[in-house]
Amino acid sequence: MYAEEVAEMAGRIRDEDIALVRERSSIADVISEVVTLKSAGGGNLKGLCPFHDEKSPSFNVSPARNVWYCFGCGAGGDAIKFLMDAEHLSFVESVERLAARAGLQLRYVEDDRSAPRPRPQQGQRQRLVAAHAAAVEFYRAQLGTAGARPAREFLAQRGFDRAAAERYGCGFAPDAWDLLTKHLRQQGFSHDELVTAGLSRPSRSGTLIDRFRRRLLWPIRDLTGDVIGFGARKLFADDDGPKYLNTPETPIYKKSHVLYGIDLAKREIAKQGKVVVVEGYTDVMACHLAGVSTAVATCGTAFGADHISVLRRLLMDTDAVAGEIIFTFDGDAAGQKAALRAFEDDQRFVGRTFIAVSPDSMDPCELRLAKGDLAVRDLVARREPLVDFALRHVINRYDLDTVDGRVEAMRRAAPLVAKIKDREKRPEYVRKLAGDLGMEIEPVQRAVLAAGSGQPAGAGGSGPTRPGPAAPSLDSPQSKVEREALKLALQEPVLAGPMFDAVEAGEYRHPVHQVVRAAIAAAGGAATAAAGAVWIEQVRDACADLAAQALVGELAVEPLRIDGEPDPRYVSITMARLQWGSVTGRIKDLKSKIQRINPVSNKDEYFALFGELLSLEQHARALREQAAGGL
Ligand SMILES: [Zn+2]
């Protein structure tokens, strides 16, 4: 494929220019933009391979020979090939990117006889990036106009002066339907290019209009500093749409990978071996200005596995070198939930994950305003290991003055300790947990062992992993209630949002409903959404597959199964019925598991499962009451 493309393209860009680009491109510099490289001896460098998942570096770079090669997955090549693979560029786009870096003017074969001039048709990525660069300039200029006063005030009120706004390229989308669209069309960008870039969209009448209107904008850049999208903050209370609106998924903007501020923070992240994850654009700005130069934020989505893989490469997070990842949360329930989810998500990172909860529920931007730069640096310095944070969070929910409370807290906390991947650390946490609970070490130890034995590939490793229950059919009572819950979140997010968001995707039994539930979370959750087409579109954009996308369209218009207007009571009943279905399913599974255990030879496991069963049954009773209509 690569060789064919070279042959084909060599007929377009002149061979000697391609050779010159190869010669003038420092392969170490090009790769360092994406992967942190350390010396491997003999003048060679190594790092974590960006093309396969690995813990110790087998990705090698030889600057002397201008090549790279991965001993782990066999990928390899020159600087051009690296850009093609790492940035998903075509051959021509890669050569053009490298030429621009090296300040070389490319000549094309069809222009051979005339004076060298830039090729009129560039690759798609190049065009989309160019459109964004032009949009940044346009929006930046708009920030100085009279209409942008609320945007300037927004920044000033949060402690950002003009220099800060300029450094981050802040802009303003004017109160007009198609000012940017017309501006970019005049600059030669096509209708299709503007739609593909996510900068414009077709209106109901079919004409092309700007995606962002009456909003404050932050350009979002990739690792190499190219602008690939925008984050947009609502400024006027009477405007439609969510508080924050982002560029939709495009060929260059993948929100699961995007980290705001990564272009500015990447060198410090690699140098310090740590990264601070904050929640918003203003938090990134506030952290950087306060001296926490390693801060980044996700853009309109929860921190996930793809973000981790981007950061691991910068952190060079290996068994030998420990990178630190610090989440800041403003102490509210949503933030704490996100932290606990991170704990579920990536075990590889658990030992190196820290939580910094700010005092008085302030985010870094508010903290800097109220207490100054030093307070922001303090916040990060006072971080706490994720495991400690999670245990404290679980234990705090119980009354430790009672025996029941202590036992229940132990039962809930034990699975967290059992999950700690670093086995040597477990005894330490067992002791700590026993101390926090005011219990003997031995029962806590037993609870942790019991919780651990439920894990796949656990101690002993006997028996196959239990297959999950089969998905219920779409017309089962459980599926119907799941459908109703999703309809409430899509059609009535303001009413249903908080109760809906509190029930995790795992409580849904049908896979397609789980995907839609996850998409609603990825779109920011129902609680923060406003009803309307924008919200539906955001959820649809966030869907991981086509079936779920189609279902969102269906659920957005299907009438609710209630006569008259839905009220909080109806939402409460629906969510309780949904959870009840899932809890009774788990009870059934647990009962059959208990029956298979020999209580004499596996006494500890038997009792642990039995305890779990009792608490599930209690939960089920409470849900049944709620489903019966008591609020
Ligand atoms: Zn590899």
Side-chain angles (χ1 to χ4, degrees):
M1 162 93 184
Y2 178 57
E4 280 162 27
E5 243 181 300
V6 172
E8 182 197 328
M9 298 328 303
R12 299 208 191 154
I13 300 176
R14 284 168 40 153
D15 286 346
E16 58 264 45
D17 285 6
I18 294 173
L20 196 61
V21 163
R22 272 206 188 90
E23 189 182 304
R24 296 276 181 86
S25 298
S26 154
I27 195 156
D29 286 354
V30 171
I31 293 177
S32 294
E33 303 241 311
V34 184
V35 180
T36 296
L37 296 172
K38 302 256 159 108
S39 170
N44 291 339
L45 302 161
K46 64 178 177 178
L48 290 180
C49 180
F51 307 116
H52 84 280
D53 201 22
E54 64 175 5
K55 279 186 183 170
S56 51
S58 43
F59 179 85
N60 284 259
V61 179
S62 164
R65 289 160 56 204
N66 238 353
V67 296
W68 57 276
Y69 184 75
C70 174
F71 291 101
C73 65
D78 57 12
I80 300 170
K81 182 71 163 59
F82 181 81
L83 280 186
M84 289 171 69
D85 291 352
E87 310 268 334
H88 307 289
L89 302 181
S90 70
F91 179 82
V92 174
E93 287 169 337
S94 300
V95 175
E96 286 171 344
R97 173 88 79 92
L98 291 170
R101 263 185 80 106
L104 296 169
Q105 184 76 50
L106 291 175
R107 291 162 302 170
Y108 297 83
V109 172
E110 50 266 71
D111 301 328
D112 225 8
R113 58 197 186 284
S114 62
R117 67 180 173 87
R119 183 159 157 267
Q121 257 189 326
Q122 299 163 311
Q124 185 193 45
R125 190 198 148 89
Q126 204 91 346
R127 290 292 293 167
L128 301 187
V129 166
H132 275 93
V136 170
E137 284 317 310
F138 173 85
Y139 286 137
R140 208 202 290 251
Q142 290 290 329
L143 190 60
T145 60
R149 197 170 153 187
R152 294 193 299 271
E153 279 171 1
F154 180 95
L155 289 167
Q157 279 160 10
R158 279 155 186 79
F160 303 122
D161 58 15
R162 201 174 156 161
E166 272 168 18
R167 177 163 184 233
Y168 289 84
C170 295
F172 177 67
D175 185 7
W177 287 107
D178 59 359
L179 219 50
L180 173 80
T181 301
K182 278 184 175 149
H183 174 75
L184 294 181
R185 293 283 278 130
Q186 276 165 9
Q187 296 206 356
F189 293 99
S190 72
H191 179 287
D192 287 352
E193 281 171 343
L194 296 183
V195 172
T196 307
L199 291 166
S200 308
R201 60 188 176 90
S203 70
R204 274 182 219 281
S205 68
T207 56
L208 205 55
I209 57 173
D210 299 349
R211 176 168 297 271
F212 303 113
R213 242 188 102 221
R214 287 157 61 93
R215 283 174 180 262
L216 171 61
L217 299 185
W218 285 268
I220 299 168
R221 298 167 196 273
D222 66 8
L223 269 171
T224 66
D226 285 340
V227 175
I228 53 174
F230 288 96
R233 171 66 155 83
K234 183 155 84 176
L235 294 168
F236 303 92
D238 52 334
D239 277 354
D240 289 339
K243 198 152 87 170
Y244 284 92
L245 194 62
N246 294 300
T247 295
E249 295 289 295
T250 74
I252 60 172
Y253 184 90
K254 307 277 175 229
K255 76 174 167 201
S256 62
H257 289 78
V258 171
L259 288 165
Y260 178 71
I262 191 88
D263 53 307
L264 296 171
K266 66 179 176 185
R267 286 189 208 292
E268 285 300 313
I269 292 172
K271 201 168 114 194
Q272 298 182 25
K274 71 169 76 148
V275 58
V276 176
V277 180
V278 296
E279 293 189 87
Y281 307 108
T282 53
D283 294 329
V284 170
M285 291 173 74
C287 280
H288 290 184
L289 293 170
V292 179
S293 47
T294 54
V296 298
T298 61
C299 301
T301 184
F303 188 83
D306 290 337
H307 296 119
I308 289 182
S309 59
V310 171
L311 290 174
R312 289 185 81 224
R313 263 171 249 137
L314 286 176
L315 291 169
M316 186 135 162
D317 183 73
T318 67
D319 288 339
V321 187
E324 221 177 74
I325 178 162
I326 303 162
F327 290 91
T328 66
F329 291 114
D330 55 12
D332 67 2
Q336 300 196 357
K337 231 169 148 184
L340 293 173
R341 205 165 41 225
F343 189 79
E344 295 288 322
D345 269 2
D346 202 311
Q347 282 298 304
R348 296 172 305 184
F349 240 120
V350 163
R352 288 151 198 175
T353 303
F354 294 79
I355 302 291
V357 177
S358 58
D360 311 323
S361 292
M362 286 191 280
D363 59 36
C365 180
E366 291 163 340
L367 193 60
R368 174 170 174 261
L369 263 185
K371 300 187 176 166
D373 290 351
L374 191 60
V376 178
R377 294 202 295 272
D378 266 1
L379 165 69
V380 174
R382 276 199 324 266
R383 67 200 183 275
E384 172 185 31
L386 174 63
V387 182
D388 297 43
F389 173 86
L391 285 176
R392 199 157 41 77
H393 178 85
V394 167
I395 292 172
N396 279 350
R397 293 204 303 249
Y398 299 94
D399 177 6
L400 299 183
D401 291 336
T402 68
V403 175
D404 280 356
R406 287 196 294 272
V407 170
E408 191 58 25
M410 176 188 78
R411 213 170 263 154
R412 297 285 166 166
L416 296 183
V417 177
K419 270 188 179 166
I420 297 171
K421 202 186 147 211
D422 202 344
R423 278 165 190 270
E424 290 99 86
K425 278 194 179 160
R426 275 192 221 156
E428 188 189 314
Y429 275 104
V430 167
R431 270 196 299 279
K432 181 175 157 35
L433 178 58
D436 291 348
L437 292 169
M439 292 174 80
E440 297 294 322
I441 288 175
E442 208 211 339
V444 176
Q445 171 80 53
R446 259 187 292 147
V448 169
L449 283 175
S453 66
Q455 307 257 94
S462 61
T465 44
R466 189 166 51 92
S473 73
L474 273 171
D475 57 5
S476 70
Q478 176 67 14
S479 285
K480 279 182 185 154
V481 78
E482 289 176 2
R483 223 177 143 86
E484 193 70 4
L486 295 171
K487 269 151 54 178
L488 282 166
L490 291 167
Q491 300 177 20
E492 304 281 350
V494 178
L495 168 73
M499 279 189 260
F500 177 88
D501 287 353
V503 178
E504 306 274 358
E507 302 287 319
Y508 292 70
R509 302 208 89 185
H510 200 282
V512 74
H513 296 157
Q514 286 174 356
V515 175
V516 176
R517 171 65 186 85
I520 288 171
T528 57
V534 175
W535 168 233
I536 304 300
E537 196 189 331
Q538 283 174 330
V539 175
R540 200 182 293 150
D541 281 348
C543 281
D545 64 58
L546 288 173
Q549 273 183 357
L551 183 62
V552 169
E554 209 176 308
L555 296 177
V557 294
E558 188 177 281
L560 291 165
R561 294 152 70 89
I562 178 177
D563 296 322
E565 290 296 302
D567 55 13
R569 187 166 169 271
Y570 184 66
V571 179
S572 161
I573 290 171
T574 305
M575 296 318 295
R577 285 181 57 208
L578 189 156
Q579 287 170 278
W580 190 73
S582 125
V583 168
T584 48
R586 261 151 51 206
I587 288 174
K588 220 173 117 198
D589 295 346
L590 204 53
K591 277 184 174 163
S592 77
K593 196 169 168 187
I594 288 172
Q595 277 179 346
R596 291 195 302 269
I597 291 181
N598 179 341
V600 180
S601 58
N602 293 303
K603 197 164 131 236
D604 289 343
E605 192 185 358
Y606 185 80
F607 282 128
L609 291 174
F610 210 77
E612 203 181 327
L613 178 65
L614 290 179
S615 78
L616 272 181
E617 282 179 342
Q618 195 187 346
H619 188 193
R621 274 195 298 277
L623 286 169
R624 201 165 49 198
E625 262 175 50
Q626 192 186 336
L631 255 178

